[in-house]
Amino acid sequence: MSSPLLDLPGAVPAPEESVDVGVPWHFGDPFAEQRSAARSAVLVDRSHREVIAVPGEERLSWLHLVLSQHLTELPDGQGTEALVLDTHGRVDSHMMVAHHDGVVYLDTDAGAEATSALPTIGVDGRQTLLQYLDAMRFWSKVEPRDAASELAVLTAMGPDAGGILAGFTEVPSGAYEVRALPGGGFVRNVPFRALQTYDLLVPRESLVEWWLKLTDAGIRPSGTMAFEALRVEALRPRVGLDTDDRSIPHELGWIHLAAHVAKGCYRGQETVAKVHNVGKPPRRMVLLHLDGSVEVSPETGDPVFHGDRKVGRVGSVVQHHELGPVALALVKRSAPVDAELMAGDPAEERAVAAAVDPDSVPPDTGEPPGRLAADRLRGR
């Protein structure tokens, strides 16, 4: 699906090999777009995201069983984040959730997939997220459908974004709060570290109209190149870039945020509960500062080394307007975070020196609660 916003003056399309193909990559100056997001406001076309609508009287109870998040009591006008996990608790897909006007909307990256409950279905046991949800309906009173032709995603970011949006709609103030947009669709407040961020799911036929009236009001047009740099800075992982086939929610900062540890009976729940209560994840996601004095850079999926020992995997690699070249990476818990690392494939001559940003290292929460409880029972 190609966005009509690519026809606007200055829009540069994302490269064909990009995961964001089909929408503007930038509007002439991606670094200035990042600065505008930090200082004023930008608008990003993310209309290539998939949108799934889940109507039906059992929508909340059914999604509660299928997704990783606690959803039975999600009020209308509120959202959250959720995952689909495989039977081993590994991440299949991530989605933003919004309960609006009696329908639950899930928006996710284009091409989102899930491991089929029946391995003989799909390619290598994989199927689209919508196919997976449809296969899990059984007798539940729900009707999941592809709603990408109905709604398209725009994202407004920056300290001035809320004030500009207030000229057109009621602006949600709480985390994940959802409010109706005039003419259809809704706006959702998205926690994005310190950066004010709002997703607007607008009627697709009104995509250009919304873009023009918001940019005419003072929000700077921006592309996914700037959005990705800000996402990496905010330590927000993306499935397929910052995950591999072994990634579990604990490694990515998604526990509590997108995966509930106490509710039962969803696929992968045993792993989520076990690691949270009695163990620790084998890896952790960190931000790497990359050596910018050389002309090469690592690529997504490349290894991370400490000496001659492989200790991690490179995820998203971006150029940040203040931090320079940085990347998200999954590194082993045993890897030193205060030592020089090498990121990239030496066989391809793209390995560069890398240092872990100390502020990105997840805090050590001590002994898991289940282990502490067991020790107390033993009188330790």
Side-chain angles (χ1 to χ4, degrees), residues 99-116:
H99 192 189
H100 171 64
D101 199 20
V103 178
V104 176
Y105 292 93
L106 314 173
D107 60 284
T108 185
D109 281 327
E113 292 184 329
T115 306
S116 172

Side-chain angles (χ1 to χ4, degrees), residues 119-369:
T120 56
I121 293 180
V123 179
D124 297 326
R126 306 282 291 179
Q127 55 189 165
T128 68
L129 179 59
L130 180 58
Q131 288 171 337
Y132 171 74
L133 293 174
D134 191 58
M136 297 299 289
R137 281 190 306 151
F138 301 107
W139 298 279
S140 299
K141 297 177 181 178
V142 292
E143 295 289 339
R145 70 174 187 273
D146 182 355
S149 62
E150 304 168 28
L151 296 171
V153 182
L154 297 174
T155 298
M157 315 175 76
D160 297 340
I164 296 174
L165 286 176
F168 301 93
T169 186
E170 181 183 358
V171 179
S173 57
Y176 303 107
E177 190 176 342
V178 173
R179 289 291 179 265
L181 288 172
F186 58 88
V187 57
R188 173 181 55 216
N189 185 314
V190 181
F192 213 92
R193 272 199 157 181
L195 194 62
Q196 236 182 80
T197 302
Y198 304 92
D199 286 338
L200 293 87
L201 278 79
V202 303
R204 187 164 289 274
E205 66 270 16
S206 302
L207 176 63
V208 175
E209 177 187 348
W210 270 103
W211 180 272
L212 291 177
K213 66 184 179 181
L214 289 173
T215 54
D216 286 347
I219 301 186
R220 179 174 185 151
S222 181
T224 56
M225 192 175 182
F227 178 87
E228 286 296 283
L230 298 168
R231 175 185 66 80
V232 168
E233 179 191 16
L235 304 177
R236 291 188 66 91
R238 188 169 177 180
V239 173
L241 295 179
D242 305 304
T243 66
D244 57 19
D245 58 5
R246 297 181 293 117
S247 299
I248 59 176
H250 317 67
E251 299 174 328
L252 300 153
W254 275 333
I255 292 299
H256 303 303
L257 186 71
H260 200 276
V261 298
K263 77 162 192 166
C265 296
Y266 65 91
R267 193 169 72 170
Q269 180 267 341
E270 183 178 356
T271 297
V272 170
K274 184 175 181 179
V275 175
H276 175 73
N277 286 303
V278 298
K280 292 186 178 182
R283 300 178 295 180
R284 51 191 171 187
M285 187 182 71
V286 297
L287 181 70
L288 295 181
H289 292 271
L290 306 175
D291 182 359
S293 66
V294 293
E295 295 184 358
V296 298
S297 64
E299 297 180 0
T300 299
D302 278 352
V304 177
F305 290 96
H306 177 230
D308 58 359
R309 174 174 164 247
K310 181 180 176 181
V311 295
R313 173 195 181 275
V314 176
S316 301
V317 183
V318 299
Q319 290 283 339
H320 190 273
H321 71 107
E322 286 184 339
L323 303 177
V326 291
L328 293 178
L330 285 174
V331 298
K332 294 180 179 179
R333 292 186 61 83
S334 59
V337 295
D338 56 353
E340 181 177 289
L341 306 175
M342 295 295 292
D345 188 348
E348 299 292 334
E349 299 184 342
R350 57 170 182 257
V352 301
V356 175
D357 188 319
D359 292 334
S360 73
V361 179
D364 191 342
T365 55
E367 288 295 312

Side-chain angles (χ1 to χ4, degrees), residues 5-22:
L5 299 178
L6 286 170
D7 296 329
L8 294 178
V12 176
E16 286 297 320
E17 67 274 11
S18 169
V19 293
D20 291 317
V21 67

Side-chain angles (χ1 to χ4, degrees), residues 15 29 67 94 111 161 163 196 283:
D29 193 339
L67 304 182
H94 168 271
Q196 236 182 80
R283 300 178 295 180

